[in-house]
Amino acid sequence: MRFDILTLFPDMFGGPFDESIIRRGQDKGLIQIALHQIRDYTVDRHRTVDDAPYGGGAGMLMKPEPLSAAIESVKKLNTDATVLLTTPQGRPLTQKLAQELSLKPGLIIICGRYEGIDERIHQHYVDQEISIGDYVLSGGELAAMVLVDSVTRLVPGVLGSDESAQTDSFGDGLLEYPQYTRPPEFNGLPVPAPLLSGNHAEIIRWRREQSLKRTAERRPDLLTQAVLSDKDRLFLKSLGVSNVS
Ligand code: 6GU
């Protein structure tokens, strides 16, 4: 998977992209990330990337010409890529959307700044607008990093077999069960007995029930979409939970 990122602040990406899973994905040749400075595509002496909105109002907009030149240029490097724009007006990023994007041949991500970008860039170039949540960031760069991370870990081979993406929270639409490591008692709190039982079937059942219980308590909205068995529904009913899929 090739990611091309168009931004006014390429230096922001150094830390997150040079460590951990994203670093490993690049080192293994499974993902490639190229950062592009939008300002490099200006042609005026002052390298202007923003301008005031027609009709007035607070703040500045990203001018269309440098963005257009940057997108046209990067499209030649990442052919058939899907063009994404990070914006609070976009489709909320979910695990399902990350899965969809991980199947694309490539992604071009435009990081929004200021009060937004000229609407004609949306119309002409942008395939999908993506938001990472209902709060305001100072720019799309942090959102682009979140997006690249969530997609990268779904690219086959990036995660090791002991880091399976399937048992992660949201892999099956539920929150993950609680985890314990040694010692067997810590601050007076014991590790739950089923985990020490050595009974694999009992462990599987306990974990599933804990996932269901957590999801019902913390994110009941997820239960209407989750993949549930009859046994799961019976267990949830015993907790007094009924509005499930
Ligand atoms: Cl993608 N951009 C900005 N500026 N703010 C956000 C966002 C994106 N997603 C949530 N808040």
Side-chain angles (χ1 to χ4, degrees):
M1 164 75 74
R2 178 177 170 120
F3 299 92
D4 283 280
I5 300 176
L6 279 51
T7 170
L8 291 170
F9 299 98
D11 292 347
M12 283 181 72
F13 293 81
F17 285 1
D18 287 343
E19 305 283 346
S20 187
I21 306 280
I22 298 183
R23 171 81 269 149
R24 202 198 307 161
Q26 294 173 94
D27 291 346
K28 286 185 179 173
L30 298 168
I31 64 161
Q32 294 80 36
I33 305 175
L35 295 160
H36 307 272
Q37 169 58 269
I38 295 165
R39 204 176 290 280
D40 290 346
Y41 295 86
T42 55
V43 290
D44 65 310
R45 201 159 59 86
H46 295 105
R47 313 216 319 147
T48 313
V49 291
D50 60 343
D51 204 345
Y54 276 116
M60 298 289 269
L61 299 179
M62 289 173 84
K63 285 171 65 64
E65 304 96 318
L67 269 175
S68 165
I71 297 164
E72 295 282 0
S73 163
V74 162
K75 276 186 151 199
K76 291 179 189 140
L77 307 170
N78 196 347
T79 46
D80 299 324
T82 297
V83 178
L84 306 177
L85 170 70
T86 54
T87 160
Q89 275 97 51
R91 175 175 164 191
L93 179 61
T94 59
Q95 193 62 19
K96 178 164 169 275
L97 178 52
Q99 267 150 9
E100 282 175 36
L101 295 174
S102 74
L103 302 175
K104 303 282 187 193
L107 297 174
I108 294 170
I109 307 172
I110 307 165
C111 301
R113 271 276 153 178
Y114 310 117
E115 296 303 307
I117 70 177
D118 187 285
E119 183 65 19
R120 292 162 292 186
I121 293 292
H122 300 242
Q123 291 169 352
H124 212 87
Y125 294 109
V126 176
D127 296 312
Q128 283 200 65
E129 300 183 15
I130 295 179
S131 163
I132 64 163
D134 292 338
Y135 41 83
V136 179
L137 300 171
S138 308
E141 283 77 11
L142 288 167
M145 294 177 213
V146 168
L147 186 58
V148 169
D149 188 285
S150 66
V151 171
T152 293
R153 45 190 295 109
L154 297 172
V155 171
V158 169
L159 293 188
S161 56
D162 58 342
E163 305 164 313
S164 159
Q166 189 50 46
T167 62
D168 282 350
S169 288
F170 305 115
D172 55 6
L174 296 176
L175 300 185
E176 204 178 340
Y177 46 78
Q179 298 268 39
Y180 297 84
T181 184
R182 279 174 288 192
E185 190 181 310
F186 177 72
N187 278 1
L189 297 171
V191 173
L195 298 179
L196 304 173
S197 69
N199 181 334
H200 192 58
E202 190 183 343
I203 293 168
I204 300 271
R205 189 167 56 100
W206 183 84
R207 285 180 164 169
R208 183 72 185 174
E209 291 181 356
Q210 290 295 314
S211 273
L212 292 162
K213 182 164 173 283
R214 270 201 169 180
T215 309
E217 286 166 358
R218 300 182 187 189
R219 293 294 306 279
D221 55 302
L222 295 177
L223 288 175
T224 60
Q225 300 289 322
V227 184
L228 299 177
S229 68
D230 287 343
K231 210 170 166 187
D232 292 336
R233 284 189 204 91
L234 217 58
F235 175 72
L236 286 166
K237 212 169 159 202
S238 79
L239 299 178
V241 178
S242 56
N243 64 331
V244 299
S245 65

